[in-house]
Amino acid sequence: MSGSNVWTRSRARMRLFPELLAQCSGEATAYGKCVAATTTGKQELTKNTCVKEFETLRSCFQSAAKKGVK
């Protein structure tokens, strides 16, 4: 298995990230607000705290990636 091929694919995915984020801005905002509200003061983010918002964002990223970036 070639190590350089892994990095090439990783870089290609990272280049798409800003476009995918733009397509999912509402979902990203909702997830960010949940995280911010959960971690006020000295509270720490725990597993499954914002799972609904995260799954919505993940689903949006996946569908945007399948459609392709415009």
Side-chain angles (χ1 to χ4, degrees):
M1 187 157 101
S2 172
S4 65
N5 193 23
V6 171
W7 292 112
T8 302
R9 288 192 315 261
S10 294
R11 276 192 295 266
R13 281 194 302 264
M14 290 306 291
R15 283 188 195 115
L16 293 176
F17 186 76
E19 299 265 347
L20 296 176
L21 186 59
Q23 291 181 27
C24 300
S25 61
E27 292 84 350
T29 301
Y31 179 65
K33 285 182 180 180
C34 179
V35 170
T38 304
T39 58
T40 56
K42 293 192 179 251
Q43 293 177 337
E44 291 185 20
L45 187 63
T46 58
K47 185 175 180 178
N48 296 330
T49 302
C50 297
V51 72
K52 183 182 90 174
E53 292 83 354
F54 177 77
E55 289 299 327
T56 304
L57 178 59
R58 186 172 68 97
S59 175
C60 182
F61 276 145
Q62 287 175 337
S63 32
K66 285 180 185 175
K67 292 178 190 173
V69 179
K70 296 178 180 174

